[in-house]
Amino acid sequence: MLAITLLITDRNLAVQGDPLVGWSNLDVTRKFNEPAAGSVVLPAYPEVMAQLQPGNRLVVIRDGSIWTAGPMEQPADYEWSVDGEPGAGKVTVNFTDDLAAIAGHIVWPEPALTWAGQHGDTWRSFDTISSETIIRTVVDENAGPGALADRRIPNLVLAAAAGVGTTTSIRTRFEPLLDPCRLAASTGGGIGFRTQQIGNQIVFGCYAPADLTATARFSTGLGNLRGISYSGSAPEVTHALVAGRETEGSSIRTFVQVADTAAAAAWWRVEKYVDGGADDDSKGELSASGTGEIADGAAPVSLATVTVDTPDLRAGVDYDLGDRVTVALPHSLQVTDLVRAITLHATSQEGEEVAAVIGSQDATTDPQVVRLIRTLGRRLGRLETR
């Protein structure tokens, strides 16, 4: 019998009715430093439809612990036909996690002022401080308790500082809120961030992924690996050539190179011009932009695995998003890399199955589109100052 419970809450986390029953297909993909994506098919009973209201949230509980929780993006995709299933029909609910609500905000350069009070030449700058501090501050100022009242996400609080990450520098303005968070996380120690529903609060916090390569291992011999899809390709950039902003009337401009010499030696040199957005690199902002581009364009190693939980290795318990794990490939090869996504698929007839996507930052379902949107957002933000 499946140990999965589905609940609907309102935006204040108050449960709206009995647990949902009769569901036939559940898919939830949790992602590293990205909002989750999920869907579930339900019988369209009146008591179910009454809970599927705009602004409500769906909570997935697996084995007594919350697997994911967040707003319903498409609360009622209803279907009925005389030739289809008898009765009330069925409804598909698409949902995400609470990180998506944060992702819906942008970074205001002066978050304490109203939108009408923003100044056109102002940036929000963070100079040589820990990546965790940067991420927590950006979220707090633009969506959390420290934001203007009408921008605060209900029940969102910040977890106690975890003391993770290394120092980095970034500057941002008018970008989607999670973009500078991901840049700070990448350039400041490779840390993770997430939301968790704890009691009647949505808790946002940072964490340090663990190196579990010696203990979190997947192989056919261990009985926890059902399938593998592996691909590797050349890097899209090995040398980020970063240019500082041009100053009107001056011929002086700062140029910084950030290189992945190991990737260039293994493959070949791939250069990319990067508009750094800052005047110079005195605070490390140009170097951080180059480091972010190197991380985005690293040699993609995409490893999708179909795994099965065993008593000794369970997703969300013994390993989680961002952790470094080991997968044994055919012919005695091994790959160690980060867990980028974990998908829980369950049906009422066949039970549950867990699939992990392990690999570089490109190891996602739609990396090119995601990276294109982020790049355009960064460029548009920089253009605003010209």
Side-chain angles (χ1 to χ4, degrees):
M1 182 176 180
L2 289 177
I4 293 177
T5 303
L6 306 180
L7 297 173
I8 300 293
T9 77
D10 63 13
R11 66 182 66 230
N12 292 314
L13 281 60
V15 176
Q16 296 299 286
D18 294 331
L20 302 176
V21 297
W23 57 270
S24 58
N25 199 318
L26 172 70
D27 284 286
V28 190
T29 299
R30 297 165 51 224
K31 305 176 185 179
F32 183 54
N33 293 351
E34 301 268 3
S39 66
V40 62
V41 178
L42 300 161
Y45 302 141
E47 60 272 21
V48 171
M49 300 299 291
Q51 297 186 54
L52 303 181
Q53 301 300 318
N56 282 355
R57 303 164 63 257
L58 193 145
V59 181
V60 179
I61 301 173
R62 182 190 184 215
D63 293 336
S65 300
I66 294 179
W67 179 261
T68 190
M72 295 183 291
E73 298 177 299
Q74 190 176 31
D77 183 2
Y78 176 72
E79 182 179 344
W80 177 90
S81 71
V82 68
D83 298 323
E85 296 182 5
K90 63 181 181 180
V91 60
T92 300
V93 178
N94 294 302
F95 59 95
T96 180
D97 63 12
D98 291 305
L99 199 59
I102 297 175
H105 292 230
I106 67 171
V107 178
W108 291 15
E110 298 171 283
L113 302 181
T114 66
W115 180 248
Q118 302 294 306
H119 296 88
D121 59 350
T122 304
W123 288 78
R124 187 66 177 99
S125 297
F126 299 91
D127 304 325
T128 320
I129 59 178
S130 80
S131 53
E132 180 184 22
T133 298
I134 294 173
I135 295 167
R136 286 168 53 86
T137 302
V138 169
V139 171
D140 185 34
E141 292 179 341
N142 292 277
L148 296 177
D150 62 345
R151 301 187 72 204
R152 295 173 192 162
I153 295 173
N155 305 292
L156 177 65
V157 299
L158 269 64
V164 299
T166 58
T167 59
T168 187
S169 301
I170 69 167
R171 67 201 310 259
T172 179
R173 65 198 303 264
F174 308 138
E175 291 183 90
L177 194 151
L178 292 188
D179 280 5
C181 292
R182 277 185 287 259
L183 177 59
S186 175
T187 60
I191 65 175
F193 53 84
R194 62 194 171 196
T195 56
Q196 296 174 293
Q197 180 178 326
I198 302 176
N200 62 352
Q201 293 180 320
I202 299 168
V203 181
F204 176 88
C206 299
Y207 66 99
D211 184 350
L212 303 177
T213 52
T215 57
R217 301 175 61 85
F218 299 92
S219 71
T220 55
L222 292 172
N224 58 10
L225 186 62
R226 292 181 174 174
I228 302 173
S229 175
Y230 171 80
S231 67
S233 58
E236 297 178 0
V237 54
T238 63
H239 289 70
L241 309 179
V242 189
R245 290 189 301 176
E246 293 181 281
T247 303
E248 187 174 351
S250 173
S251 60
I252 299 175
R253 191 177 186 188
T254 302
F255 294 92
V256 173
Q257 175 177 280
V258 180
D260 184 344
T261 54
W267 295 88
W268 53 80
R269 183 184 178 106
V270 184
E271 298 179 342
K272 182 177 181 179
Y273 174 81
V274 181
D275 185 348
D279 294 328
D280 55 47
D281 201 37
S282 60
K283 298 176 181 178
E285 294 165 332
L286 300 184
S287 294
S289 293
T291 301
E293 293 291 341
I294 293 290
D296 285 347
V301 175
S302 180
L303 176 64
T305 64
V306 179
T307 63
V308 58
D309 279 356
T310 65
D312 297 324
L313 192 60
R314 289 175 51 80
V317 177
D318 302 302
Y319 74 94
D320 215 327
L321 295 172
D323 292 341
R324 184 172 292 273
V325 300
T326 300
V327 178
L329 302 177
H331 314 300
S332 301
L333 297 177
Q334 289 191 151
V335 170
T336 64
D337 218 314
L338 304 187
V339 179
R340 293 287 175 182
I342 301 174
T343 296
L344 169 65
H345 172 71
T347 67
S348 55
Q349 294 81 25
E350 299 176 2
E352 65 177 37
E353 186 177 78
V354 177
V357 177
I358 301 165
S360 73
Q361 193 153 304
D362 267 355
T364 60
T365 54
D366 52 357
Q368 294 181 343
V369 174
V370 171
R371 290 206 335 255
L372 175 60
I373 292 172
R374 291 183 194 160
T375 300
L376 289 175
R378 287 198 295 264
R379 290 178 179 173
L380 288 172
R382 292 167 185 161
L383 287 173
E384 290 293 335
T385 62
R386 297 186 175 183

